[in-house]
PDB file of all heavy atoms in Angstrom:
ATOM      1  N   ILE A   1       3.004  10.373   8.839  1.00  0.00           N
ATOM      2  CA  ILE A   1       3.427   8.979   9.012  1.00  0.00           C
ATOM      3  C   ILE A   1       2.294   8.038   8.658  1.00  0.00           C
ATOM      4  O   ILE A   1       2.494   7.006   8.026  1.00  0.00           O
ATOM      5  CB  ILE A   1       3.942   8.747  10.443  1.00  0.00           C
ATOM      6  CG1 ILE A   1       5.250   9.523  10.667  1.00  0.00           C
ATOM      7  CG2 ILE A   1       4.144   7.267  10.739  1.00  0.00           C
ATOM      8  CD1 ILE A   1       5.703   9.601  12.114  1.00  0.00           C
ATOM      9  N   THR A   2       1.065   8.403   9.026  1.00  0.00           N
ATOM     10  CA  THR A   2      -0.102   7.616   8.645  1.00  0.00           C
ATOM     11  C   THR A   2      -0.239   7.561   7.136  1.00  0.00           C
ATOM     12  O   THR A   2      -0.538   6.496   6.571  1.00  0.00           O
ATOM     13  CB  THR A   2      -1.386   8.201   9.280  1.00  0.00           C
ATOM     14  OG1 THR A   2      -1.222   8.233  10.705  1.00  0.00           O
ATOM     15  CG2 THR A   2      -2.611   7.387   8.909  1.00  0.00           C
ATOM     16  N   ASP A   3       0.010   8.674   6.470  1.00  0.00           N
ATOM     17  CA  ASP A   3      -0.020   8.727   4.995  1.00  0.00           C
ATOM     18  C   ASP A   3       0.986   7.720   4.427  1.00  0.00           C
ATOM     19  O   ASP A   3       0.669   6.958   3.511  1.00  0.00           O
ATOM     20  CB  ASP A   3       0.292  10.146   4.538  1.00  0.00           C
ATOM     21  CG  ASP A   3       0.517  10.272   3.035  1.00  0.00           C
ATOM     22  OD1 ASP A   3       0.057   9.404   2.281  1.00  0.00           O
ATOM     23  OD2 ASP A   3       1.167  11.244   2.624  1.00  0.00           O
ATOM     24  N   TRP A   4       2.172   7.710   4.980  1.00  0.00           N
ATOM     25  CA  TRP A   4       3.231   6.851   4.487  1.00  0.00           C
ATOM     26  C   TRP A   4       2.865   5.373   4.692  1.00  0.00           C
ATOM     27  O   TRP A   4       3.086   4.546   3.827  1.00  0.00           O
ATOM     28  CB  TRP A   4       4.527   7.188   5.184  1.00  0.00           C
ATOM     29  CG  TRP A   4       5.696   6.373   4.788  1.00  0.00           C
ATOM     30  CD1 TRP A   4       6.299   6.332   3.553  1.00  0.00           C
ATOM     31  CD2 TRP A   4       6.403   5.434   5.596  1.00  0.00           C
ATOM     32  NE1 TRP A   4       7.341   5.439   3.553  1.00  0.00           N
ATOM     33  CE2 TRP A   4       7.442   4.885   4.800  1.00  0.00           C
ATOM     34  CE3 TRP A   4       6.270   5.025   6.906  1.00  0.00           C
ATOM     35  CZ2 TRP A   4       8.319   3.933   5.302  1.00  0.00           C
ATOM     36  CZ3 TRP A   4       7.155   4.089   7.406  1.00  0.00           C
ATOM     37  CH2 TRP A   4       8.178   3.563   6.605  1.00  0.00           C
ATOM     38  N   LEU A   5       2.282   5.049   5.864  1.00  0.00           N
ATOM     39  CA  LEU A   5       1.948   3.654   6.189  1.00  0.00           C
ATOM     40  C   LEU A   5       0.678   3.168   5.472  1.00  0.00           C
ATOM     41  O   LEU A   5       0.546   1.983   5.194  1.00  0.00           O
ATOM     42  CB  LEU A   5       1.783   3.485   7.694  1.00  0.00           C
ATOM     43  CG  LEU A   5       3.068   3.615   8.522  1.00  0.00           C
ATOM     44  CD1 LEU A   5       2.737   3.593  10.002  1.00  0.00           C
ATOM     45  CD2 LEU A   5       4.036   2.531   8.183  1.00  0.00           C
ATOM     46  N   ALA A   6      -0.249   4.081   5.228  1.00  0.00           N
ATOM     47  CA  ALA A   6      -1.540   3.668   4.650  1.00  0.00           C
ATOM     48  C   ALA A   6      -1.494   3.433   3.146  1.00  0.00           C
ATOM     49  O   ALA A   6      -2.453   2.931   2.591  1.00  0.00           O
ATOM     50  CB  ALA A   6      -2.604   4.697   4.968  1.00  0.00           C
ATOM     51  N   GLY A   7      -0.415   3.792   2.527  1.00  0.00           N
ATOM     52  CA  GLY A   7      -0.278   3.577   1.084  1.00  0.00           C
ATOM     53  C   GLY A   7      -1.257   4.382   0.280  1.00  0.00           C
ATOM     54  O   GLY A   7      -1.372   5.606   0.442  1.00  0.00           O
ATOM     55  N   ASN A   8      -2.013   3.719  -0.580  1.00  0.00           N
ATOM     56  CA  ASN A   8      -2.912   4.414  -1.508  1.00  0.00           C
ATOM     57  C   ASN A   8      -4.239   4.831  -0.892  1.00  0.00           C
ATOM     58  O   ASN A   8      -5.037   5.492  -1.517  1.00  0.00           O
ATOM     59  CB  ASN A   8      -3.198   3.533  -2.730  1.00  0.00           C
ATOM     60  CG  ASN A   8      -1.965   3.367  -3.574  1.00  0.00           C
ATOM     61  OD1 ASN A   8      -1.095   4.232  -3.607  1.00  0.00           O
ATOM     62  ND2 ASN A   8      -1.867   2.235  -4.246  1.00  0.00           N
ATOM     63  N   TRP A   9      -4.519   4.398   0.328  1.00  0.00           N
ATOM     64  CA  TRP A   9      -5.824   4.698   0.941  1.00  0.00           C
ATOM     65  C   TRP A   9      -5.927   6.129   1.431  1.00  0.00           C
ATOM     66  O   TRP A   9      -7.016   6.690   1.510  1.00  0.00           O
ATOM     67  CB  TRP A   9      -6.093   3.773   2.119  1.00  0.00           C
ATOM     68  CG  TRP A   9      -6.340   2.362   1.731  1.00  0.00           C
ATOM     69  CD1 TRP A   9      -6.879   1.915   0.550  1.00  0.00           C
ATOM     70  CD2 TRP A   9      -6.072   1.220   2.512  1.00  0.00           C
ATOM     71  NE1 TRP A   9      -6.947   0.545   0.574  1.00  0.00           N
ATOM     72  CE2 TRP A   9      -6.462   0.096   1.771  1.00  0.00           C
ATOM     73  CE3 TRP A   9      -5.525   1.041   3.777  1.00  0.00           C
ATOM     74  CZ2 TRP A   9      -6.342  -1.175   2.247  1.00  0.00           C
ATOM     75  CZ3 TRP A   9      -5.432  -0.246   4.249  1.00  0.00           C
ATOM     76  CH2 TRP A   9      -5.808  -1.333   3.494  1.00  0.00           C
ATOM     77  N   PHE A  10      -4.797   6.732   1.811  1.00  0.00           N
ATOM     78  CA  PHE A  10      -4.807   8.021   2.498  1.00  0.00           C
ATOM     79  C   PHE A  10      -3.648   8.863   1.983  1.00  0.00           C
ATOM     80  O   PHE A  10      -2.559   8.347   1.800  1.00  0.00           O
ATOM     81  CB  PHE A  10      -4.680   7.784   3.999  1.00  0.00           C
ATOM     82  CG  PHE A  10      -4.730   8.988   4.872  1.00  0.00           C
ATOM     83  CD1 PHE A  10      -5.891   9.737   4.951  1.00  0.00           C
ATOM     84  CD2 PHE A  10      -3.646   9.387   5.620  1.00  0.00           C
ATOM     85  CE1 PHE A  10      -5.962  10.856   5.782  1.00  0.00           C
ATOM     86  CE2 PHE A  10      -3.703  10.494   6.441  1.00  0.00           C
ATOM     87  CZ  PHE A  10      -4.860  11.220   6.508  1.00  0.00           C
ATOM     88  N   GLU A  11      -3.920  10.142   1.736  1.00  0.00           N
ATOM     89  CA  GLU A  11      -2.870  11.011   1.234  1.00  0.00           C
ATOM     90  C   GLU A  11      -2.916  12.375   1.891  1.00  0.00           C
ATOM     91  O   GLU A  11      -3.996  12.980   2.006  1.00  0.00           O
ATOM     92  CB  GLU A  11      -3.014  11.185  -0.281  1.00  0.00           C
ATOM     93  CG  GLU A  11      -1.900  11.959  -0.874  1.00  0.00           C
ATOM     94  CD  GLU A  11      -1.970  12.030  -2.391  1.00  0.00           C
ATOM     95  OE1 GLU A  11      -2.564  11.123  -3.023  1.00  0.00           O
ATOM     96  OE2 GLU A  11      -1.487  13.017  -2.946  1.00  0.00           O
ATOM     97  N   VAL A  12      -1.779  12.835   2.320  1.00  0.00           N
ATOM     98  CA  VAL A  12      -1.599  14.192   2.855  1.00  0.00           C
ATOM     99  C   VAL A  12      -0.547  14.858   2.003  1.00  0.00           C
ATOM    100  O   VAL A  12       0.549  14.318   1.808  1.00  0.00           O
ATOM    101  CB  VAL A  12      -1.173  14.161   4.355  1.00  0.00           C
ATOM    102  CG1 VAL A  12      -1.017  15.557   4.896  1.00  0.00           C
ATOM    103  CG2 VAL A  12      -2.166  13.391   5.177  1.00  0.00           C
ATOM    104  N   ASP A  13      -0.862  16.053   1.487  1.00  0.00           N
ATOM    105  CA  ASP A  13      -0.008  16.723   0.503  1.00  0.00           C
ATOM    106  C   ASP A  13       1.143  17.551   1.065  1.00  0.00           C
ATOM    107  O   ASP A  13       1.763  18.312   0.350  1.00  0.00           O
ATOM    108  CB  ASP A  13      -0.865  17.606  -0.425  1.00  0.00           C
ATOM    109  CG  ASP A  13      -1.740  16.788  -1.332  1.00  0.00           C
ATOM    110  OD1 ASP A  13      -1.430  15.601  -1.550  1.00  0.00           O
ATOM    111  OD2 ASP A  13      -2.737  17.333  -1.813  1.00  0.00           O
ATOM    112  N   GLY A  14       1.446  17.438   2.335  1.00  0.00           N
ATOM    113  CA  GLY A  14       2.573  18.168   2.886  1.00  0.00           C
ATOM    114  C   GLY A  14       2.332  18.615   4.317  1.00  0.00           C
ATOM    115  O   GLY A  14       1.328  18.277   4.935  1.00  0.00           O
ATOM    116  N   TRP A  15       3.296  19.419   4.812  1.00  0.00           N
ATOM    117  CA  TRP A  15       3.231  19.836   6.220  1.00  0.00           C
ATOM    118  C   TRP A  15       2.048  20.753   6.508  1.00  0.00           C
ATOM    119  O   TRP A  15       1.447  20.669   7.565  1.00  0.00           O
ATOM    120  CB  TRP A  15       4.554  20.504   6.620  1.00  0.00           C
ATOM    121  CG  TRP A  15       5.614  19.511   6.909  1.00  0.00           C
ATOM    122  CD1 TRP A  15       6.619  19.106   6.085  1.00  0.00           C
ATOM    123  CD2 TRP A  15       5.775  18.751   8.114  1.00  0.00           C
ATOM    124  NE1 TRP A  15       7.383  18.167   6.706  1.00  0.00           N
ATOM    125  CE2 TRP A  15       6.892  17.941   7.957  1.00  0.00           C
ATOM    126  CE3 TRP A  15       5.046  18.696   9.298  1.00  0.00           C
ATOM    127  CZ2 TRP A  15       7.325  17.066   8.950  1.00  0.00           C
ATOM    128  CZ3 TRP A  15       5.481  17.849  10.302  1.00  0.00           C
ATOM    129  CH2 TRP A  15       6.601  17.027  10.114  1.00  0.00           C
ATOM    130  N   GLY A  16       1.756  21.669   5.594  1.00  0.00           N
ATOM    131  CA  GLY A  16       0.641  22.602   5.822  1.00  0.00           C
ATOM    132  C   GLY A  16      -0.678  21.891   6.045  1.00  0.00           C
ATOM    133  O   GLY A  16      -1.325  22.073   7.121  1.00  0.00           O
ATOM    134  N   PRO A  17      -1.113  21.072   5.100  1.00  0.00           N
ATOM    135  CA  PRO A  17      -2.347  20.332   5.297  1.00  0.00           C
ATOM    136  C   PRO A  17      -2.280  19.391   6.500  1.00  0.00           C
ATOM    137  O   PRO A  17      -3.296  19.184   7.185  1.00  0.00           O
ATOM    138  CB  PRO A  17      -2.544  19.544   3.996  1.00  0.00           C
ATOM    139  CG  PRO A  17      -1.774  20.290   2.983  1.00  0.00           C
ATOM    140  CD  PRO A  17      -0.626  20.913   3.706  1.00  0.00           C
ATOM    141  N   ALA A  18      -1.093  18.828   6.778  1.00  0.00           N
ATOM    142  CA  ALA A  18      -0.963  17.909   7.915  1.00  0.00           C
ATOM    143  C   ALA A  18      -1.178  18.652   9.226  1.00  0.00           C
ATOM    144  O   ALA A  18      -1.896  18.146  10.102  1.00  0.00           O
ATOM    145  CB  ALA A  18       0.413  17.248   7.904  1.00  0.00           C
ATOM    146  N   ILE A  19      -0.599  19.820   9.394  1.00  0.00           N
ATOM    147  CA  ILE A  19      -0.751  20.569  10.638  1.00  0.00           C
ATOM    148  C   ILE A  19      -2.192  21.060  10.805  1.00  0.00           C
ATOM    149  O   ILE A  19      -2.796  20.934  11.865  1.00  0.00           O
ATOM    150  CB  ILE A  19       0.272  21.725  10.716  1.00  0.00           C
ATOM    151  CG1 ILE A  19       1.668  21.142  10.874  1.00  0.00           C
ATOM    152  CG2 ILE A  19      -0.068  22.669  11.841  1.00  0.00           C
ATOM    153  CD1 ILE A  19       2.780  22.148  10.772  1.00  0.00           C
ATOM    154  N   ILE A  20      -2.748  21.583   9.716  1.00  0.00           N
ATOM    155  CA  ILE A  20      -4.146  22.052   9.780  1.00  0.00           C
ATOM    156  C   ILE A  20      -5.083  20.879  10.025  1.00  0.00           C
ATOM    157  O   ILE A  20      -6.026  20.965  10.806  1.00  0.00           O
ATOM    158  CB  ILE A  20      -4.524  22.837   8.487  1.00  0.00           C
ATOM    159  CG1 ILE A  20      -3.712  24.117   8.412  1.00  0.00           C
ATOM    160  CG2 ILE A  20      -6.022  23.116   8.460  1.00  0.00           C
ATOM    161  CD1 ILE A  20      -3.813  24.834   7.089  1.00  0.00           C
ATOM    162  N   GLY A  21      -4.804  19.733   9.370  1.00  0.00           N
ATOM    163  CA  GLY A  21      -5.613  18.530   9.587  1.00  0.00           C
ATOM    164  C   GLY A  21      -5.532  18.043  11.021  1.00  0.00           C
ATOM    165  O   GLY A  21      -6.518  17.606  11.592  1.00  0.00           O
ATOM    166  N   GLY A  22      -4.341  18.136  11.606  1.00  0.00           N
ATOM    167  CA  GLY A  22      -4.184  17.735  12.994  1.00  0.00           C
ATOM    168  C   GLY A  22      -4.998  18.612  13.921  1.00  0.00           C
ATOM    169  O   GLY A  22      -5.607  18.125  14.893  1.00  0.00           O
ATOM    170  N   ILE A  23      -5.031  19.890  13.622  1.00  0.00           N
ATOM    171  CA  ILE A  23      -5.844  20.826  14.430  1.00  0.00           C
ATOM    172  C   ILE A  23      -7.326  20.486  14.296  1.00  0.00           C
ATOM    173  O   ILE A  23      -8.055  20.413  15.289  1.00  0.00           O
ATOM    174  CB  ILE A  23      -5.574  22.305  14.030  1.00  0.00           C
ATOM    175  CG1 ILE A  23      -4.153  22.696  14.402  1.00  0.00           C
ATOM    176  CG2 ILE A  23      -6.573  23.239  14.665  1.00  0.00           C
ATOM    177  CD1 ILE A  23      -3.712  24.021  13.781  1.00  0.00           C
ATOM    178  N   ILE A  24      -7.767  20.281  13.048  1.00  0.00           N
ATOM    179  CA  ILE A  24      -9.173  19.953  12.804  1.00  0.00           C
ATOM    180  C   ILE A  24      -9.540  18.625  13.488  1.00  0.00           C
ATOM    181  O   ILE A  24     -10.595  18.534  14.119  1.00  0.00           O
ATOM    182  CB  ILE A  24      -9.459  19.855  11.276  1.00  0.00           C
ATOM    183  CG1 ILE A  24      -9.217  21.190  10.585  1.00  0.00           C
ATOM    184  CG2 ILE A  24     -10.862  19.345  10.989  1.00  0.00           C
ATOM    185  CD1 ILE A  24     -10.153  22.289  10.984  1.00  0.00           C
ATOM    186  N   MET A  25      -8.667  17.644  13.386  1.00  0.00           N
ATOM    187  CA  MET A  25      -8.947  16.348  14.018  1.00  0.00           C
ATOM    188  C   MET A  25      -9.012  16.479  15.541  1.00  0.00           C
ATOM    189  O   MET A  25      -9.864  15.843  16.186  1.00  0.00           O
ATOM    190  CB  MET A  25      -7.871  15.324  13.646  1.00  0.00           C
ATOM    191  CG  MET A  25      -8.031  14.807  12.217  1.00  0.00           C
ATOM    192  SD  MET A  25      -6.872  13.500  11.900  1.00  0.00           S
ATOM    193  CE  MET A  25      -7.430  12.231  13.040  1.00  0.00           C
ATOM    194  N   GLY A  26      -8.141  17.284  16.103  1.00  0.00           N
ATOM    195  CA  GLY A  26      -8.167  17.502  17.559  1.00  0.00           C
ATOM    196  C   GLY A  26      -9.448  18.164  18.007  1.00  0.00           C
ATOM    197  O   GLY A  26     -10.070  17.741  18.986  1.00  0.00           O
ATOM    198  N   ILE A  27      -9.874  19.179  17.284  1.00  0.00           N
ATOM    199  CA  ILE A  27     -11.129  19.887  17.619  1.00  0.00           C
ATOM    200  C   ILE A  27     -12.328  18.967  17.434  1.00  0.00           C
ATOM    201  O   ILE A  27     -13.208  18.884  18.297  1.00  0.00           O
ATOM    202  CB  ILE A  27     -11.262  21.172  16.802  1.00  0.00           C
ATOM    203  CG1 ILE A  27     -10.185  22.177  17.215  1.00  0.00           C
ATOM    204  CG2 ILE A  27     -12.659  21.775  16.946  1.00  0.00           C
ATOM    205  CD1 ILE A  27     -10.090  23.373  16.294  1.00  0.00           C
ATOM    206  N   ALA A  28     -12.353  18.238  16.309  1.00  0.00           N
ATOM    207  CA  ALA A  28     -13.474  17.334  16.038  1.00  0.00           C
ATOM    208  C   ALA A  28     -13.532  16.241  17.091  1.00  0.00           C
ATOM    209  O   ALA A  28     -14.617  15.918  17.618  1.00  0.00           O
ATOM    210  CB  ALA A  28     -13.332  16.725  14.641  1.00  0.00           C
ATOM    211  N   GLY A  29     -12.379  15.651  17.432  1.00  0.00           N
ATOM    212  CA  GLY A  29     -12.346  14.616  18.443  1.00  0.00           C
ATOM    213  C   GLY A  29     -12.810  15.112  19.799  1.00  0.00           C
ATOM    214  O   GLY A  29     -13.521  14.414  20.537  1.00  0.00           O
ATOM    215  N   LEU A  30     -12.426  16.334  20.134  1.00  0.00           N
ATOM    216  CA  LEU A  30     -12.837  16.949  21.393  1.00  0.00           C
ATOM    217  C   LEU A  30     -14.356  17.089  21.469  1.00  0.00           C
ATOM    218  O   LEU A  30     -14.987  16.719  22.466  1.00  0.00           O
ATOM    219  CB  LEU A  30     -12.169  18.300  21.572  1.00  0.00           C
ATOM    220  CG  LEU A  30     -12.542  19.087  22.839  1.00  0.00           C
ATOM    221  CD1 LEU A  30     -11.984  18.387  24.061  1.00  0.00           C
ATOM    222  CD2 LEU A  30     -12.016  20.499  22.736  1.00  0.00           C
ATOM    223  N   PHE A  31     -14.956  17.624  20.399  1.00  0.00           N
ATOM    224  CA  PHE A  31     -16.416  17.791  20.381  1.00  0.00           C
ATOM    225  C   PHE A  31     -17.148  16.444  20.411  1.00  0.00           C
ATOM    226  O   PHE A  31     -18.158  16.305  21.096  1.00  0.00           O
ATOM    227  CB  PHE A  31     -16.862  18.625  19.170  1.00  0.00           C
ATOM    228  CG  PHE A  31     -16.652  20.086  19.355  1.00  0.00           C
ATOM    229  CD1 PHE A  31     -15.835  20.797  18.485  1.00  0.00           C
ATOM    230  CD2 PHE A  31     -17.259  20.766  20.391  1.00  0.00           C
ATOM    231  CE1 PHE A  31     -15.634  22.163  18.655  1.00  0.00           C
ATOM    232  CE2 PHE A  31     -17.073  22.133  20.570  1.00  0.00           C
ATOM    233  CZ  PHE A  31     -16.256  22.821  19.680  1.00  0.00           C
ATOM    234  N   ILE A  32     -16.619  15.467  19.685  1.00  0.00           N
ATOM    235  CA  ILE A  32     -17.252  14.141  19.699  1.00  0.00           C
ATOM    236  C   ILE A  32     -17.170  13.526  21.097  1.00  0.00           C
ATOM    237  O   ILE A  32     -18.155  12.986  21.599  1.00  0.00           O
ATOM    238  CB  ILE A  32     -16.593  13.210  18.652  1.00  0.00           C
ATOM    239  CG1 ILE A  32     -16.846  13.754  17.232  1.00  0.00           C
ATOM    240  CG2 ILE A  32     -17.101  11.778  18.798  1.00  0.00           C
ATOM    241  CD1 ILE A  32     -16.017  13.071  16.160  1.00  0.00           C
ATOM    242  N   GLU A  33     -15.996  13.632  21.729  1.00  0.00           N
ATOM    243  CA  GLU A  33     -15.842  13.074  23.067  1.00  0.00           C
ATOM    244  C   GLU A  33     -16.737  13.802  24.079  1.00  0.00           C
ATOM    245  O   GLU A  33     -17.305  13.183  24.968  1.00  0.00           O
ATOM    246  CB  GLU A  33     -14.388  13.163  23.512  1.00  0.00           C
ATOM    247  CG  GLU A  33     -13.503  12.163  22.824  1.00  0.00           C
ATOM    248  CD  GLU A  33     -12.049  12.296  23.204  1.00  0.00           C
ATOM    249  OE1 GLU A  33     -11.742  13.065  24.145  1.00  0.00           O
ATOM    250  OE2 GLU A  33     -11.217  11.676  22.542  1.00  0.00           O
ATOM    251  N   MET A  34     -16.878  15.125  23.904  1.00  0.00           N
ATOM    252  CA  MET A  34     -17.766  15.883  24.811  1.00  0.00           C
ATOM    253  C   MET A  34     -19.195  15.416  24.628  1.00  0.00           C
ATOM    254  O   MET A  34     -19.935  15.234  25.602  1.00  0.00           O
ATOM    255  CB  MET A  34     -17.630  17.388  24.552  1.00  0.00           C
ATOM    256  CG  MET A  34     -16.380  17.985  25.129  1.00  0.00           C
ATOM    257  SD  MET A  34     -16.079  19.724  24.747  1.00  0.00           S
ATOM    258  CE  MET A  34     -17.633  20.456  24.523  1.00  0.00           C
TER     259      MET A  34
END
């Protein structure tokens, strides 16, 4: 949805990268918050 709203600034190539990216973002956010 962010890809759709952000237009040309951000691109996600499908469900696979989106799910893996969500996992990576969750882990990265957790470590940053810690």
Side-chain angles (χ1 to χ4, degrees):
I1 293 169
T2 302
D3 170 22
W4 180 66
L5 291 173
N8 292 332
W9 291 331
F10 183 65
E11 185 176 333
V12 180
D13 290 339
W15 281 99
I19 291 172
I20 294 170
I23 293 169
I24 298 293
M25 285 186 65
I27 292 169
L30 178 68
F31 282 119
I32 294 168
E33 287 176 11
M34 284 175 29

